[in-house]
C-alpha cells in the first residue's frame, strides 16, 4: 500500500471519528498529531493525512456544498458517516490538490467505501465523485 493510500485511510479515520463523536475536526487532528509524533516511521502517511484534514477544515462548506449538489436527492446528514468522510476527503483531492489525478482520487475513494461502508457505497461514492469531477 502506498504512503498516500495509507494517508487517505488515516484521514478517513480522523474525519469519521470527528463526525461520529461530534468532536471538532481541529481537536481530532491535534489528538492524532500527538499520536503521530510517537510514530516517526509513519511520518510520510501522517503528513499527507494532515494535509487532507486541514484541507477539509479550510474548505468544509464548499466541499459539503459540492457533495450535496452532486449527490442527487441525498442530504449529507442522511448518508452513512463513512460515506460522508470518504466523499469529503476525495472531494478535497478533486478540487484542491492538483497533484492527484481525478481518476486516482475517485478509485481510492471507491476502494475505501467498499472496504469500510455498505454494499452499495462504492457505486454511490463513484457516482457522486464522477459528477463532481465533471463539473
Amino acid at each position: 500500500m502506498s504512503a498516500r493510500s495509507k494517508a487517505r485511510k488515516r484521514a478517513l479515520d480522523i474525519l469519521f471519528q470527528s463526525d461520529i463523536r461530534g468532536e471538532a475536526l481541529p481537536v481530532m487532528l491535534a489528538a492524532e498529531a500527538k499520536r503521530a509524533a510517537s510514530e516517526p516511521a509513519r511520518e510520510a502517511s501522517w503528513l499527507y493525512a494532515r494535509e487532507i484534514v486541514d484541507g477539509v477544515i479550510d474548505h468544509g462548506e464548499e466541499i459539503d456544498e459540492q457533495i450535496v449538489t452532486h449527490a442527487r436527492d441525498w442530504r449529507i446528514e442522511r448518508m452513512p458517516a463513512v460515506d460522508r468522510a470518504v466523499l469529503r476527503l476525495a472531494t478535497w483531492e478533486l478540487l484542491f490538490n492538483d497533484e492527484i489525478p481525478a481518476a486516482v482520487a475517485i478509485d481510492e475513494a471507491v476502494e475505501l467505501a467498499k472496504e469500510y461502508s455498505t454494499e452499495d457505497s462504492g457505486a454511490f461514492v463513484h457516482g457522486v465523485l464522477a459528477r463532481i469531477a465533471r463539473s
Side-chain angles (χ1 to χ4, degrees), residues 6-133:
K6 290 176 186 176
R8 286 181 187 96
K9 193 171 178 180
R10 273 182 106 156
L12 174 64
D13 288 343
I14 296 165
L15 295 168
F16 176 76
Q17 287 181 42
S18 172
D19 194 7
I20 292 299
R21 293 180 180 178
E23 291 277 345
L25 262 177
V27 171
M28 296 301 298
L29 188 61
E32 184 64 16
K34 247 186 194 179
R35 191 176 89 148
S38 68
E39 301 172 328
R42 296 175 58 194
E43 183 178 12
S45 70
W46 163 244
L47 293 175
Y48 189 57
R50 181 179 198 118
E51 185 178 348
I52 293 168
V53 176
D54 279 337
V56 172
I57 291 168
D58 292 344
H59 303 285
E61 286 183 31
E62 184 177 352
I63 289 168
D64 282 358
E65 182 180 312
Q66 287 292 314
I67 293 168
V68 169
T69 298
H70 294 93
R72 295 190 178 155
D73 300 324
W74 274 89
R75 291 191 332 263
I76 202 158
E77 61 274 357
R78 290 204 55 231
M79 294 174 191
V82 173
D83 293 3
R84 272 195 305 271
V86 169
L87 286 168
R88 285 173 174 152
L89 80 87
T91 300
W92 175 81
E93 283 189 317
L94 288 171
L95 300 179
F96 300 103
N97 189 344
D98 295 334
E99 294 177 17
I100 306 296
V104 171
I106 292 169
D107 288 346
E108 291 273 339
V110 167
E111 289 306 311
L112 286 170
K114 285 179 179 178
E115 186 173 349
Y116 295 106
S117 197
T118 70
E119 185 177 315
D120 298 326
S121 291
F124 174 70
V125 164
H126 184 273
V128 174
L129 294 175
R131 288 189 288 277
I132 290 171

